């Protein structure tokens, strides 16, 4: 894929400056080495994402990927247009969901077209396998596009470093292991290739590259909601360049082409629709477009006015135009033409906003702020080296480096606010760290004569950088020989110091690689629908309760059965059990979720009213008390209460679920409201009878390490339908109104009276039964037919 | 005759009761009737939504039994020498709440807000057995305050919304909070812009400092270090500066990977910056030309910074990530 493009004309330029050494045809060697390194990066990136497949099996992970997989399978089966018009009545019962208009279809189209191509080549691959391996394959494409981006910004050597970093860095692996079939897997590729094409088009100023940028932006829009980052970052770059007085006709051409084409194309995605011209998130782009037009007009005016007048006029006009655009946006927002910032975006600026106003956003662990620990965990040494790259980019600033600086600063802010956005930070960290390492090692691995070449401005040192990076390529295999060669030369710093530095750097890079592998293997490779527990002797036990329960649902319930569960499990129930759910991970309707939360947190009879009004047939809860699984519903319960309280403040109060001392306890000191709510009862039904081993008391909850408070209770309105092997999933059937509390009517009040004595209506004569047309059988003779 | 005698006794009894009643009311002239009390409270709270009570008023309006109104009292210590900084915040929030309630229900006599300062009614603090401040206690119209009538500041905090929610739970009076629009953020922004603009105007003939790349690079790096060391997490979650263990020791590093202390993030900020500085020194040592000895020292110092401080980050990380196997130089 695109590997042929490496025969770039640029390396040839430095051929003259190249020392003719062992490599007689340097550009050929260069291409070969580039090709090899990128191929190895792809392979190692692919391989390190396969932990989950090797340890478990080739399955789809977690929650959202199940929906993506289900809709991909639907699209492959029914065709693209039917997919766009798909109304899914199995979700959000009784509302349903218009799937075609509420998804980013890029992911499904990508894997669907791969499936189509492979099948037209007569390679029979199941769509599930394509979905599982899509993200690892795309990680290779990501590292190649990162190489190109870094090459545009600094040098090919830095590009190779960046490509290798992004292939294995945990911050990106976390979202792209085999089986995590999610938008981010392909979106980071789209992001990087868009940025590469943008930088390229700013450099060249050609409409061709700008159109390609718009095309890849279109792909990004179709793939992920994070496209908003692009449509704000590129205008920010243009704006910064304008402020720095770096306006050029190249910039004008590339931005206007990109903006117009990108705008029109992004509106072709049904889910995006008219948002690009109607919401605040997109207004920066059009504002900068207007500014660009104003400035190009001024440039025209400049040809008429004198220079001295122009300088002041120019500054005032730029500031004035910016202010007018800003005011226009504000006014239009007030007038209601432009929708204000949506909650998710708004919470990025006003960091306290989500916590107070939108519990459903605050409840998702991905939307939490990031600790330094997470940064180090996901990026390791890159956390400390990317500011070095940033430093040198600013020191040697030019048009495209402004871009990478803005990218770094904005992405690091967003990553600080939200753990999830670590994903957008990771690529730029890899790029900048690649620059830092390449710059450093380039100086230390260089041969002596070239030390004397001046290394000041970025524009002039392109050649020397490339030269140094040429030496970088072979650092992995041939380093030892290089150092031996250097010993005999007299050197400014001395070969010992150089050797020490190079060794230290290699040591750090090795530690980085080891760290990445450890993190990937231990933290990011759990499918989370299949759990593994390790015994003391190292034996592994697979807990397959989720699939067991979903399979039971699919085999033992009616096809139209409606299953109520907390929204986390909606996609899995729909994907694996193929049953109707009330709420799912597409949390578009807060009040519906609050209704489910209310049912879970009220007592049985109140909950029954809600459940009958929603036609619930089965209730599914996740319970980890037997095996000590901490992500179960009781631990999530407070969020259910909070979300329910948000919509029904009169019926549900969070404080009712806390003890006097403000603790959330399920043991005998827990509040009566908690000990009698539906979620408690469904989780702990008959748990009081369970004794896990001889020493422990019955009803001991291993997750919360307490003996539960309410042990002996019966369910009136529900009955246990199925509990999996390790009690991880418990399914209950909701009784019909005639099945419970059925009052016993005394005999005298019954409409239809029944006495116990059986009176036959037959008369004496007819009492004896006979068979019609009975053949008369005489022994020894054939039966004769009568009549 | 017997009947008459009985009636007489009855009348006498009634008279006796009435006179004794009258005597009792005459005996305690400070005790005002319920209606008067309510009227006084309404007058007071009309002037000032959050009434300032001393010991006597507390006894009259809150401790005295015939009441048909609820009372929410903040026990606080606002005097500067008490050095209670959160009392000031709590007072502001409580003031907002009381004012919004008065504003919405001008003549409601169901609920009143009061505050007692430690320096004006220390006897009340002793009576209520309080030794911390601020404390919010709700005195219901009937009966004594229960445990739940004391606001759990540890859990819900003392923002006006939280107190309002607690009050609506205790008294079924919902209070819509009107915050006076907060212009301080906008003002600060405008002020900053004006400052920058004037600065630029004053130095309009010499704008070279804008082209000082080192300054810009330093700013960008410091911002990155701040974000990467989790300052945003501190801003949102407001963790303690350090943790004082019950045994008297001080923990600088949070034990789990889920949390962090403020000081800890400063340490990480410094360590990260030192590692980056080390790397820059190494690079500069090779890139610059000049005295070889000096450059060699620069390079060695850079290498030491890089290796030592990175190892210490790694060892802190290892302490937080249980079961992490790798370390370098330090355990």
């Amino acid at each position: 894929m695109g590997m042929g493009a490496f025969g770039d004309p640029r390396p040839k330029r430095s051929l003259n400056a190249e020392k003719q050494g062992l490599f007689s045809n340097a550009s050929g060697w260069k291409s070969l080495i580039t090709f090899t390194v990128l191929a190895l990066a792809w392979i190692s990136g692919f391989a390190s994402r396969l932990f989950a497949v090797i340890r478990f099996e080739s399955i789809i992970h977690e929650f959202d990927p199940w929906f993506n997989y289900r809709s991909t399978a639907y699209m492959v089966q029914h065709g693209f247009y039917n997919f766009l018009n798909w109304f899914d009545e199995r979700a959000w019962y009784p509302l349903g969901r218009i799937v075609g208009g509420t998804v980013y279809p890029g992911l499904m189209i990508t894997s669907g077209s791969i499936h189509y191509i492979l099948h037209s080549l007569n390679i029979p691959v199941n769509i599930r396998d394509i979905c599982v391996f899509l993200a690892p394959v795309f990680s290779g494409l990501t590292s190649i596009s990162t190489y190109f981006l870094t090459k545009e910004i600094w040098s090919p050597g830095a590009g190779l470093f960046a490509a290798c970093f992004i292939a294995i860095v945990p911050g990106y692996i976390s979202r792209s292991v085999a089986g995590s079939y999610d938008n981010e897997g392909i979106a980071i590729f789209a992001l990087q290739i868009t940025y590469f094409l943008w930088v390229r088009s700013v450099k060249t100023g050609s409409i061709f590259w700008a159109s390609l940028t718009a095309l890849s932006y279109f792909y990004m829009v179709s793939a992920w909601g994070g496209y908003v980052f692009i449509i704000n970052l590129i205008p920010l770059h243009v704006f910064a360049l304008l402020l720095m007085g770096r306006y050029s006709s190249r910039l004008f051409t590339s931005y206007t082409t990109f903006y117009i084409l990108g705008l029109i194309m992004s509106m072709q995605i049904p889910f995006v629709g008219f948002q690009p011209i109607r919401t605040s998130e997109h207004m920066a782009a059009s504002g900068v477009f207007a500014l660009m037009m104003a400035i190009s007009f001024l440039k025209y005016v400049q040809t008429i006015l004198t220079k001295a007048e122009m300088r002041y006029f120019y500054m005032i006009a730029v500031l004035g135009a910016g202010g007018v655009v800003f005011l226009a946006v504000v006014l239009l927002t007030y007038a209601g033409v432009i929708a204000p910032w949506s909650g998710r975006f708004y919470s990025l600026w006003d960091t306290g906003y989500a916590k107070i106003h939108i519990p459903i956003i605050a409840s998702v662990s991905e939307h939490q702020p990031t600790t330094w620990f997470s940064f180090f965990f996901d990026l390791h040494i890159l956390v400390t080296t990317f500011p070095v790259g940033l430093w040198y980019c600013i020191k040697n600033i030019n048009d495209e480096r402004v871009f990478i600086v803005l990218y770094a600063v904005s992405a690091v802010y967003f990553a600080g606010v939200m753990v999830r956005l670590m994903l957008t930070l990771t690529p730029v960290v890899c790029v900048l760290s690649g620059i830092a390492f390449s710059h450093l090692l380039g100086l230390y691995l260089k041969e002596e004569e070239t030390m004397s070449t001046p290394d000041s401005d970025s524009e002039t040192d392109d050649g020397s950088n490339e030269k140094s990076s040429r030496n970088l390529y072979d650092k992995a295999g041939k380093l030892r020989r290089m150092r031996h060669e250097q010993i005999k030369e007299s050197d400014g710093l001395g070969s010992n110091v150089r050797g020490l530095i190079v060794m230290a750097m290699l040591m750090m890079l090795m530690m980085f690689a080891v760290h990445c592998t450890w993190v990937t293997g231990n933290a990011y490779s759990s499918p989370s629908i299949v759990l593994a527990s390790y015994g003391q002797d190292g034996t592994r036990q697979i807990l397959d309760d989720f699939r067991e329960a979903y399979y039971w649902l699919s085999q033992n319930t009616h096809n139209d059965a409606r299953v109520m569960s907390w929204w986390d499990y909606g996609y899995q129930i729909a994907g694996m059990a193929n049953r109707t759910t009330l709420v799912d991970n597409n949390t578009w309707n807060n009040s519906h979720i609050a209704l489910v939360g209310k049912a879970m947190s009220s007592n049985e009879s109140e909950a029954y009213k809600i459940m009958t009004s929603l036609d619930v047939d089965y209730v599914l809860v996740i319970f980890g008390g037997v095996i000590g699984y901490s992500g179960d519903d009781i631990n999530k319960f407070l969020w259910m209460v909070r979300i329910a309280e948000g919509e029904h403040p009169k019926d549900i109060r969070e404080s009712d679920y806390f003890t006097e001392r403000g603790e959330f306890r399920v043991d005998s000191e827990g509040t009566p409201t908690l000990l009698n709510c539906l979620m408690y009862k469904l989780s702990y039904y008959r748990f009081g009878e369970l004794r896990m081993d001889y020493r422990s008391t019955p009803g001991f909850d291993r997750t919360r390490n307490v003996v539960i408070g309410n042990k002996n209770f019966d369910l009136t309105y529900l009955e246990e339908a199925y509990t999996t092997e390790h009690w991880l999933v418990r399914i209950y059937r909701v009784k019909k109104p005639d099945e419970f509390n059925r009052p016993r009517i005394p005999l005298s009040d019954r409409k239809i009276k029944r006495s116990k004595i059986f009176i036959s209506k037959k008369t004496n004569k007819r009492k004896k039964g006979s068979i019609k047309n009975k053949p008369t059988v005489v022994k020894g003779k054939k039966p004769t037919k009568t009549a | 005759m017997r009947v008459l005698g009985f009636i007489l006794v009855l009348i006498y009894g009634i008279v006796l009761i009435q006179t004794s009643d009258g005597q009792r009311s005459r005996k305690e002239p400070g005790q005002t009737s319920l209606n008067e009390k309510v009227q006084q409270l309404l007058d007071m709270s009309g002037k000032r939504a959050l009434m300032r009570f001393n010991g006597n008023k507390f006894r009259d309006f809150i401790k005295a039994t015939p009441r048909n109104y609820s009372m929410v009292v903040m026990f606080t210590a606002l005097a500067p020498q008490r050095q209670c900084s959160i009392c000031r915040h709590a007072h502001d929030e409580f003031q907002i709440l009381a004012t919004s309630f008065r504003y919405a229900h001008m003549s409601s006599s169901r609920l009143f807000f009061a505050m007692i300062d430690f320096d004006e009614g220390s006897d009340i603090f002793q009576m209520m057995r309080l030794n911390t401040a601020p404390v919010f206690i709700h005195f219901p119209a009937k009966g004594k305050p229960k445990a739940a009538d004391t606001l759990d500041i540890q859990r819900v905090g003392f923002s006006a919304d939280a107190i309002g929610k607690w009050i609506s739970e205790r008294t079924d009076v919902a209070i819509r909070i009107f915050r006076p629009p907060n212009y301080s953020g906008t003002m600060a922004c405008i002020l900053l812009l004006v400052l920058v603009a004037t600065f630029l105007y004053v130095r309009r003939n010499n704008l070279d400092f804008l082209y000082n790349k080192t300054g810009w690079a330093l700013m960008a790096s410091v911002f990155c270090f701040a974000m990467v060391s989790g300052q945003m997490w501190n801003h949102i979650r407001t963790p303690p500066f350090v943790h004082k263990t019950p045994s008297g020791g001080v923990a600088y590093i949070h034990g789990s990977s889920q949390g962090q202390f403020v000081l800890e993030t400063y340490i990480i900020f410094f360590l990260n910056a030192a590692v980056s500085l080390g790397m820059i020194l190494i690079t500069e040592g090779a890139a610059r030309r000049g005295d070889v000895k000096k450059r060699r020292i620069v390079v060695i110092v850079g290498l030491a910074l890089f290796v030592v401080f990175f190892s210490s980050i790694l060892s802190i990380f290892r302490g937080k990530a249980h079961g992490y196997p790798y370390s370098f130089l330090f355990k």
Side-chain angles (χ1 to χ4, degrees), chain A residues 182-202:
Chain A
D182 215 340
N183 293 333
E184 288 95 328
I186 61 167
I188 294 301
F189 160 68
L191 189 82
Q192 290 296 88
I193 198 83
T194 310
Y195 286 156
F196 157 65
L197 291 168
W198 166 248
V199 167
R200 197 68 194 259
S201 69
V202 169

Side-chain angles (χ1 to χ4, degrees), chain A residues 254-564:
Chain A
S254 49
Y255 184 67
T256 44
T257 313
F258 162 75
Y259 176 69
I260 300 282
L261 287 179
L263 184 75
I264 292 170
M265 282 197 274
S266 66
M267 282 159 70
Q268 306 308 311
I269 306 294
F271 189 33
V272 176
F274 280 96
Q275 279 178 37
I277 51 167
R278 299 216 48 170
T279 57
S280 300
E281 289 103 68
H282 300 79
M283 279 306 123
S286 40
V288 169
F289 181 72
L291 197 67
M292 197 83 183
M293 290 296 166
I295 287 178
S296 61
F297 172 73
L298 283 174
K299 289 278 169 189
Y300 174 72
V301 172
Q302 199 176 18
T303 56
I304 304 165
L305 291 174
T306 62
K307 262 186 187 169
E309 287 168 359
M310 198 55 214
R311 205 177 160 198
Y312 286 100
F313 180 60
Y314 181 74
M315 278 304 277
I316 290 162
V318 166
L319 289 176
V324 165
V325 167
F326 181 74
L327 276 181
V329 169
V330 169
L331 282 178
L332 283 175
T333 310
Y334 269 108
V337 179
I338 302 168
W341 292 80
S342 63
R344 262 170 231 247
F345 288 112
Y346 190 73
S347 62
L348 282 177
W349 298 114
D350 187 358
T351 46
Y353 178 79
K355 200 170 142 195
I356 304 165
H357 295 97
I358 326 170
I360 197 122
I361 291 182
S363 77
V364 181
S365 62
E366 294 176 335
H367 294 157
Q368 309 297 330
T370 316
T371 56
W372 76 265
F373 182 91
S374 307
F375 276 107
F376 194 84
F377 190 75
D378 278 356
L379 302 171
H380 194 249
I381 194 163
L382 307 188
V383 142
T384 58
T385 57
F386 89 91
V388 179
L390 192 66
W391 175 272
Y392 284 108
C393 276
I394 296 179
K395 280 288 203 177
N396 307 319
I397 200 87
N398 60 17
D399 283 3
E400 58 268 19
R401 286 174 197 164
V402 171
F403 178 75
I404 205 78
V405 168
L406 290 172
Y407 182 9
V409 170
S410 54
V412 80
Y413 171 77
F414 293 133
V417 178
M418 228 185 239
V419 176
R420 181 185 185 169
L421 295 176
M422 187 71 105
L423 191 67
T424 53
L425 173 68
T426 306
V428 70
V429 162
C430 290
V431 168
L432 289 175
S433 296
I435 290 171
F437 273 104
S438 158
H439 190 52
L440 193 153
L441 288 176
L443 288 168
Y444 279 85
L445 290 174
K446 215 185 298 181
E447 288 167 37
E448 266 327 294
E449 286 81 357
T450 56
M451 277 294 282
S452 56
T453 52
D455 195 352
S456 54
D457 244 336
S458 59
E459 315 286 353
T460 56
D461 76 351
D462 253 3
S464 68
N465 261 332
E466 273 168 24
K467 204 181 310 151
S468 62
S469 58
R470 186 196 64 97
N471 288 327
L472 281 184
Y473 301 150
D474 47 14
K475 128 221 131 177
K478 308 212 169 118
L479 177 80
R480 192 165 292 276
R481 185 192 52 72
M482 293 287 293
R483 286 202 296 120
H484 283 309
E485 264 186 0
Q486 283 168 4
I487 287 170
K488 57 179 180 269
E489 292 165 7
S490 67
D491 171 30
L493 286 172
S495 54
N496 287 334
V497 174
R498 289 162 155 267
L500 200 67
I501 299 285
V502 172
M503 282 300 287
M505 288 302 144
L506 288 184
M507 186 87 187
M508 290 296 166
L509 289 177
M510 206 179 71
M511 283 174 63
F512 172 70
V514 169
H515 172 91
C516 291
T517 317
W518 186 84
V519 168
T520 311
N522 284 283
Y524 292 138
S525 293
S526 158
S528 91
I529 56 166
V530 182
L531 306 172
S533 70
Y534 292 90
Q536 280 167 347
D537 51 347
T539 53
R540 193 178 62 150
Q541 199 190 1
I542 296 275
L543 310 177
D544 209 354
D545 284 34
F546 286 103
R547 286 197 293 175
E548 183 188 343
Y550 297 137
Y551 191 67
W552 184 89
L553 270 181
S554 73
Q555 295 299 310
N556 294 286
T557 60
H558 189 254
N559 191 29
D560 296 330
R562 289 156 292 259
V563 184
M564 181 172 91

Side-chain angles (χ1 to χ4, degrees), chain B residues 106-182:
Chain B
M106 226 24 204
S107 56
S108 167
S109 61
R110 281 187 66 191
L111 183 62
F112 292 100
F113 293 88
M115 58 166 284
I116 293 169
D117 196 291
F118 180 77
D119 295 296
E120 292 166 17
S122 56
D123 51 331
I124 306 295
F125 273 69
Q126 279 166 17
M127 190 167 79
M128 300 294 294
R129 288 195 209 91
L130 297 172
N131 43 22
T132 57
V135 176
F136 295 89
I137 298 180
H138 165 244
F139 294 89
K142 290 187 181 69
K144 287 196 162 180
K146 297 183 193 66
D149 281 314
T150 305
L151 177 66
D152 188 352
I153 293 179
Q154 297 292 336
R155 191 163 60 79
V156 299
F158 49 74
S159 71
D161 306 76
I163 306 175
K165 206 174 132 200
W166 168 68
I167 289 173
S168 74
E169 272 169 29
R170 303 307 311 167
T171 64
D172 291 325
V173 177
I175 302 170
R176 208 168 141 228
I177 288 151
F178 300 94
R179 276 180 191 280
N182 190 357

Side-chain angles (χ1 to χ4, degrees), chain A residues 360 363-364 565-571 583-585 587 593 643:
Chain A
I360 197 122
S363 77
V364 181
S565 71
W566 190 234
W567 60 262
D568 295 16
Y569 310 103
Y571 279 165
V583 290
D584 62 30
N585 310 46
T587 50
I593 292 177
I643 290 166

